[in-house]
Amino acid sequence: MPFRVGVLISGQGSNLQALIDHFARKEGVPGPEIVCVASSRADALGLERARNAGIETAVFDKTDHSDRDARDAALGNWLDDHNLDLVVLAGFMEILSGPFIRRFEGRLVNVHPSLLPAFPGVNAIEQALAYGVKVMGVTVHFVDEGVDTGPVVLQEAFELPYARDMEEIEHRVHEIEHRLLPRAVELIAAGAVSRDESNPRVVRITQAT
Ligand code: GRF
């Protein structure tokens, strides 16, 4: 049985593309499979990337539902219909409701463009640059009910000893994200990721793949 992954996006979908490319099905080779992609916006470029890869897509725009809770319930039902092992937030730019997060607890990860707990929320790269940090990075974490507060699965840092323009930094961040997110999914799918019983905040990577 492949490890079934659903991806939620809102925009460009470059992280989705990295997942698609990384897990492109090779005949007879078991591994994670991206089975569905949902977007919070109909105009997300990532939807086209999914369609090009033959992946089922759907749009769950808040404005099509009575409120966010109703949208999240519909989204949760759609995801559950696909029997997913993992849901990946790859540039999903909206806060999900508590019931949705509890429904997928332990099966929901997010990629964030900072070394959490520094600079949670939107515009993390801008926040980090405005603060003047000399080390930046990327975090993949399990999602809990806070904003970017869940247990860290993987992080990777890079140094920023001298000023560079925003575009260059975004490029560097994306390059890391596109490696780190597929790696995290791969580790989770391999059963190599567990939570420390004495401190569930701590994620243990128990085996290298
Ligand atoms: C990424 O930088 C991710 O960390 C953040 O949103 C961005 C999404 O980019 N949460 P893309 O849509 O995957 O290109």
Side-chain angles (χ1 to χ4, degrees):
M1 264 295 270
F3 185 87
R4 295 171 67 81
V5 180
V7 182
L8 304 189
I9 60 166
S10 297
Q12 290 292 317
S14 71
N15 280 284
L16 167 66
Q17 190 67 57
L19 289 166
I20 291 171
D21 293 346
H22 191 86
F23 297 122
R25 306 297 295 155
K26 294 180 199 98
E27 207 114 334
V29 180
E33 187 178 348
I34 315 295
V35 296
C36 60
V37 171
S39 172
S40 59
R41 303 171 51 137
D43 62 355
L45 178 64
L47 285 170
E48 216 173 299
R49 297 180 191 266
R51 286 185 209 114
N52 289 340
I55 297 169
E56 194 186 330
T57 62
V59 175
F60 289 87
D61 191 318
K62 262 193 321 232
T63 59
D64 296 334
H65 299 265
S66 51
D67 58 20
R68 188 185 63 165
D69 285 2
R71 191 280 306 271
D72 288 1
L75 173 60
N77 291 342
W78 187 81
L79 293 169
D80 268 348
D81 285 345
H82 289 83
N83 295 318
L84 301 174
D85 297 295
L86 187 70
V87 176
V88 178
L89 307 185
F92 188 75
M93 301 309 284
E94 291 184 16
I95 304 279
L96 288 157
S97 59
F100 181 95
I101 287 165
R102 288 194 291 278
R103 184 170 180 173
F104 292 96
E105 214 215 321
R107 293 188 291 146
L108 190 60
V109 293
N110 179 44
V111 60
H112 183 77
S114 80
L115 289 177
L116 291 170
F119 312 118
V122 289
N123 301 327
I125 300 176
E126 287 90 332
Q127 289 183 59
L129 290 182
Y131 195 91
V133 296
K134 299 289 185 236
V135 178
M136 289 178 67
V138 171
T139 304
V140 179
H141 64 94
F142 284 111
V143 176
D144 68 8
E145 289 185 50
V147 176
D148 301 319
T149 53
V152 172
V153 180
L154 292 177
Q155 284 185 312
E156 186 173 320
F158 64 95
E159 291 193 14
L160 199 67
Y162 58 91
R164 278 172 278 184
D165 64 26
M166 182 70 187
E167 210 175 297
E168 200 182 329
I169 290 164
E170 268 173 352
H171 181 77
R172 183 87 179 91
V173 164
H174 270 121
E175 191 181 84
I176 295 174
E177 288 182 341
H178 297 167
R179 266 186 297 106
L180 209 65
L181 185 59
R183 176 82 182 134
V185 172
E186 203 161 60
L187 287 166
I188 293 168
V193 172
S194 60
R195 304 280 274 276
D196 189 316
E197 275 169 30
S198 61
N199 178 4
R201 261 226 70 87
V202 175
V203 171
R204 290 190 178 284
I205 310 290
T206 51
Q207 127 203 3
T209 55

